[in-house]
Amino acid sequence: MSDLTDDGVHLLPAAETARRLGASPGTWDRFRRHWEELRVDRARTGAHARTLHRHGHFQVSLTGAFELLAHHPRGDARAEALTDSFATDPLLAELFRLLLEFAAELDDATLWDVRVHPIRELAAAETAAAAARRPEVTLAAWLLVTRDNAEGGAGVLTTSAGTPVRTVAPDEPGTLLLTDYRRIPHARSGIRPVAASRPALRDLLEVTFTPA
């Protein structure tokens, strides 16, 4: 049992994430290449630009079996579907099985509605960035995939009433942050460059589990 049930927050270090996923360095390298297929969101201007996150919608059963559903993005009608190679990546399947263990600590659902959002953030200066509130979500997870020339980006965890609970700042790729999203909505601050001569980059994978 993790501190997810007690505190509503659990941070899995990169080494532990890799061990539980059975991921080798080569596996991570293959997985992070999916972020190179994201496209820049031209609707954002100024110092901060964020690529259009792709979107995947799955149903996951208690056995770990999962099915990719039709593409109907929520919140951003421009978001494109996951590529076939991303949706069928063995590491994504292992991630579903790992997250299912945590989701089962929070709810006894037999079938889960799972949303997958790979996100790339680019910044030439620090700007605010906050996650949208989705009260129906039970488990929310953020996997740090890549950081390059980036600092900042701490996760500020608060209760639904806005009371600060914890601040986490994952900086090692592979770190996995999980929250009981019914109790602990998650917001993250913006990133900023370490060297001003080139932009900061952060790749994240956001996954949410909701009882189907």
Side-chain angles (χ1 to χ4, degrees):
M1 191 68 67
S2 72
D3 52 5
L4 185 64
T5 52
D6 294 331
D7 304 328
V9 180
H10 187 67
L11 188 66
L12 206 62
E16 179 66 8
T17 302
R19 184 188 71 79
R20 296 186 66 169
L21 293 177
S24 66
T27 301
W28 282 116
D29 287 341
R30 183 197 68 231
F31 192 61
R32 68 168 55 98
R33 284 197 290 272
H34 295 303
W35 274 254
E36 300 303 324
E37 299 174 327
L38 302 181
R39 298 179 181 178
V40 173
D41 182 354
R42 300 298 182 186
R44 286 181 176 251
T45 58
H48 190 277
R50 182 176 176 180
T51 60
L52 274 174
H53 58 168
R54 287 185 182 268
H55 172 272
H57 184 194
F58 298 81
Q59 279 194 339
V60 179
S61 72
L62 279 179
T63 64
F66 62 91
E67 177 187 1
L68 177 64
L69 302 180
H71 177 59
H72 296 294
R74 296 185 301 178
D76 190 341
R78 300 165 300 173
E80 298 181 9
L82 294 180
T83 61
D84 291 342
S85 61
F86 199 144
T88 59
D89 193 298
L91 188 61
L92 183 63
E94 290 302 319
L95 183 61
F96 284 164
R97 295 185 183 100
L98 174 58
L99 294 179
L100 186 61
E101 295 179 26
F102 290 101
E105 295 180 9
L106 303 177
D107 197 298
D108 59 359
T110 57
L111 190 65
W112 292 90
D113 183 278
V114 176
R115 306 280 177 156
V116 175
H117 303 272
I119 300 164
R120 168 165 288 180
E121 295 174 334
L122 298 166
E126 184 174 22
T127 55
R133 179 75 176 119
R134 294 180 302 281
E136 75 278 8
V137 168
T138 296
L139 174 72
W142 292 268
L143 176 67
L144 177 61
V145 176
T146 304
R147 280 178 72 105
D148 181 44
N149 192 43
E151 58 185 2
V156 182
L157 307 176
T158 65
T159 66
S160 56
T163 304
V165 173
R166 185 174 171 185
T167 298
V168 293
D171 59 2
E172 183 178 2
T175 303
L176 182 63
L177 172 64
L178 305 106
T179 70
D180 179 344
Y181 209 67
R182 302 164 302 181
R183 298 163 52 195
I184 312 291
H186 173 261
R188 60 182 180 271
S189 63
I191 55 174
R192 57 187 179 274
V194 176
S197 59
R198 57 191 181 93
L201 178 149
R202 178 171 63 175
D203 290 343
L204 298 167
L205 181 63
E206 176 186 301
V207 184
T208 59
F209 273 62
T210 305

